[in-house]
Amino acid sequence: MSSSPNISTSFAQREKEGRILIMTSVEAERAAVMRGLQGDGRFDVLLSGVGAAVAAARTAKALGASAGADGKPGYGLVVNAGIAGGYAGQAKIGDIVLASLIIAADLGAESPERFLSVDELGFGSARLPVDDGLAGRIVASLQQAGLPVRSGPILTVSTTTGTAATAAELAARVPGATAEAMEGYGVAAAALEFGLPILELRAVSNAVGPRDRSAWRIKEALNALEAASSILPEVLSS
């Protein structure tokens, strides 16, 4: 996967210029990330709200507010972090997932034959790139720490999946889909608009498929998110 063409400098260069912005959708996720970071002053962890639209707006607001006199944001990297559903055979409860691609899975149009993405319609792209070199470093560090980690496309959906039929349709639509959440595409769109690299980091709390709240493991997922976040300061300083 190629890097976004409007990112002209390496992360190492950008890191010297700014801080790291982490966006989480709700306070429980923010608290888990903060515990993992243990007060590292290079990170700002803010709430995006739920859904791609509000996440894009709040991320853009934070980036714009951080800009200096030259108009450049005061951040070198944006990370969307939180919990997510995992696709069968790709990620199980408690796994950590690093996005290899961020995909707005339901952004497009229905037709009698099949779903048509905005890419096919010629209205932009539903697929946004991550900083794959940095994502690879984080995956390697998580593996070295003995944490269960997967890498693959993370889907952004406006309606979380609640049936086996929808889960199967999305898995077929995006082969290798690893997890789904509701904010990644919005956060990524804002970051890339400012010319910043993006990562999406998720911990799996439930299986994507029939909605069964009794099977959700929110606490375990938040613990995994905390553990993953504790790796970030070391990786991002190397």
Side-chain angles (χ1 to χ4, degrees):
M1 176 173 44
S2 60
S3 296
S4 176
N6 66 343
I7 298 174
S8 58
T9 58
S10 69
F11 171 73
Q13 291 171 313
R14 286 188 174 277
E15 186 180 25
K16 296 177 182 178
E17 299 172 4
R19 298 158 61 82
I20 299 159
L21 176 63
I22 299 181
M23 301 297 294
T24 69
S25 60
V26 297
E27 181 57 39
E29 293 169 330
R30 180 179 181 274
V33 171
M34 293 288 286
R35 289 193 299 271
L37 295 175
Q38 297 182 340
D40 191 303
R42 293 173 299 160
F43 295 84
D44 289 334
V45 188
L46 305 181
L47 293 176
S48 71
V50 175
V54 68
R58 290 184 180 177
T59 302
K61 180 180 179 180
L63 293 174
S66 73
D70 60 0
K72 294 181 179 179
Y75 293 102
L77 172 69
V78 180
V79 181
N80 181 216
I83 62 176
Y87 280 88
Q90 299 292 334
K92 61 183 184 299
I93 291 175
D95 282 354
I96 299 158
V97 178
L98 262 293
S100 61
L101 194 65
I102 298 172
I103 301 176
D106 50 12
L107 183 59
E110 287 186 325
S111 77
E113 294 78 25
R114 62 185 179 85
F115 173 83
L116 300 170
S117 72
V118 291
D119 304 71
E120 295 174 281
L121 295 170
F123 298 143
S125 181
R127 307 164 73 89
L128 297 180
V130 301
D131 187 314
D132 46 2
L134 184 54
R137 285 167 48 197
I138 294 174
V139 167
S141 293
L142 291 169
Q143 289 173 335
Q144 290 172 5
L147 297 172
V149 59
R150 303 288 183 268
S151 178
I154 296 182
L155 308 188
T156 300
V157 294
S158 296
T159 302
T160 57
T161 300
T163 67
T166 302
E169 179 185 350
L170 289 172
R173 187 181 299 172
V174 183
T178 308
E180 72 170 34
M182 302 181 74
E183 296 78 32
Y185 185 87
V187 174
L192 294 174
E193 188 69 22
F194 279 84
L196 296 177
I198 177 73
L199 295 173
E200 185 169 6
L201 169 69
R202 296 281 175 176
V204 176
S205 59
N206 58 280
V208 175
R211 185 176 175 83
D212 178 9
R213 294 200 63 172
S214 67
W216 294 2
R217 297 294 180 266
I218 303 296
K219 181 178 180 180
E220 289 87 338
L222 292 173
N223 288 342
L225 180 61
E226 177 182 346
S229 299
S230 72
I231 301 295
L232 296 181
E234 180 179 354
V235 175
L236 299 181
S237 65
S238 61

